[in-house]
Amino acid sequence: MKLFRIPFIIVITSLVLTGLLFANKTDTSEAVPAFPEPGFALLELFTSEGCSSCPPADELMNRIQQSAGDKPVYVLAYHVDYWDRNGWKDVFSDPAFTERQYQYSRRFADQVYTPQVIVNGTTEFVGSDAEAADIAISKALATSSAGSLSVTASIENDSLKASYQVESRRSHLKLMIAVVQKHATSGVKAGENKGRTLSHSQIVRRLHSFDIDVAPKNQFKLELPRDFNINEWELIGFLQDRATGVIYAAKRITI
């Protein structure tokens, strides 16, 4: 039997190609960083003024946002509309936010409920559960980000003009821009919270989506609510996988 000596360089090349083959089979739902980026925590609360269990969750999210300081912790409160038929219409409710929650429910194979919090598109829990929130935030901050997002913006009349740049190994991404009212109060006159004055924070008033697969660096323009001002409102941008819902980067936008 003849023995053939295989050149060392061919062996190394084969190992490298094999490694690349297995790397390409990595589950895209896992946050594998393309480069070392700090972790972040984006908390999405689904809530309603018509839900008696929601005020404690609203208060918890407010405390989390206030105590975050300079940490990359961002809270978005979406007011859903399916409670509106139970005696009180939430002025902040939007069917688009209800649809967003249903999209998440398909990912988690779970029922739709309020108050619900979803962190970075990967973890969900009851919105008033402070212990679960602490665990999820700590885990998210300790996990390197799989992308980076840079947005510069300016206001022209009632519109926001912005430029963005995205870096990520992921594909099928969309850039989400949340227009957020920081605080508001409501006197509820019917429904489960009848007679209560509710305090809200980080209320998402509009949520815009941009497909960035073909343009990781580009500009966009969007219309702002008439009562928008830079002192009482803010904008938060984040990168989300269109298929899995996983969020790979988030940033508060400086105007």
Side-chain angles (χ1 to χ4, degrees):
M1 180 175 63
K2 295 183 179 180
L3 298 178
F4 295 90
R5 299 182 64 184
I6 302 175
F8 184 72
I9 186 64
I10 296 179
V11 175
I12 295 298
T13 303
S14 176
L15 290 173
V16 170
L17 291 175
T18 302
L20 290 175
L21 176 62
F22 280 102
N24 287 336
K25 292 184 178 180
T26 301
D27 183 355
T28 57
S29 66
E30 297 176 359
V32 179
F35 36 76
E37 284 286 324
F40 67 94
L42 181 74
L43 288 78
E44 297 180 88
L45 168 67
F46 293 92
T47 184
S48 173
E49 291 184 344
C51 163
S52 61
S53 301
C54 287
D58 295 333
E59 294 169 5
L60 175 60
M61 292 301 109
N62 182 56
R63 292 198 302 271
I64 289 173
Q65 187 67 83
Q66 294 300 316
S67 63
D70 294 331
K71 295 179 181 178
V73 176
Y74 315 104
V75 173
L76 300 177
Y78 303 100
H79 288 237
V80 297
D81 71 339
Y82 49 81
W83 280 95
D84 289 356
R85 57 182 174 269
N86 290 346
W88 177 254
K89 187 181 188 309
D90 188 335
V91 68
F92 301 115
S93 66
D94 191 320
F97 303 154
T98 298
E99 174 57 27
R100 182 169 179 81
Q101 188 181 25
Y102 270 95
Q103 290 172 356
Y104 274 131
S105 75
R106 291 189 282 271
R107 168 179 170 78
F108 292 109
D110 198 2
Q111 63 180 348
V112 170
Y113 67 93
T114 55
Q116 181 185 34
V117 168
I118 297 174
V119 180
N120 289 2
T122 61
T123 304
E124 72 89 28
F125 52 87
V126 175
S128 55
D129 190 335
E131 181 178 1
D134 288 341
I135 293 172
I137 292 171
S138 297
K139 181 180 178 180
L141 293 178
T143 303
S144 296
S145 170
S148 69
L149 171 65
S150 175
V151 182
T152 58
S154 62
I155 296 177
E156 296 181 0
N157 299 320
D158 292 329
S159 298
L160 180 83
K161 185 178 181 181
S163 299
Y164 69 83
Q165 182 169 350
V166 171
E167 294 184 31
S168 178
R169 288 175 57 185
R170 304 298 181 180
S171 58
H172 308 296
L173 296 179
K174 56 185 177 181
L175 170 62
M176 308 296 294
I177 303 294
V179 182
V180 180
Q181 184 176 351
K182 295 181 182 179
H183 298 285
T185 58
S186 293
V188 180
K189 297 178 174 60
E192 291 188 0
N193 289 310
K194 181 179 179 179
R196 300 184 63 177
T197 298
L198 302 181
S199 178
H200 306 302
S201 63
Q202 297 301 109
I203 313 154
V204 178
R205 300 296 301 274
R206 293 183 185 176
L207 185 64
H208 301 271
S209 177
F210 302 91
D211 186 351
I212 61 172
D213 281 347
V214 295
K217 182 178 182 180
N218 210 334
Q219 297 180 338
F220 65 86
K221 189 174 183 179
L222 56 86
E223 184 179 350
L224 295 170
R226 291 184 178 181
D227 49 348
F228 180 92
N229 67 76
I230 59 175
N231 295 318
E232 299 176 1
W233 296 58
E234 66 179 1
L235 293 104
I236 295 175
F238 55 99
L239 296 179
Q240 187 162 34
D241 191 301
R242 294 199 306 272
T244 68
V246 175
I247 296 171
Y248 294 124
K251 186 83 66 174
R252 182 170 285 107
I253 300 172
T254 301
I255 301 175

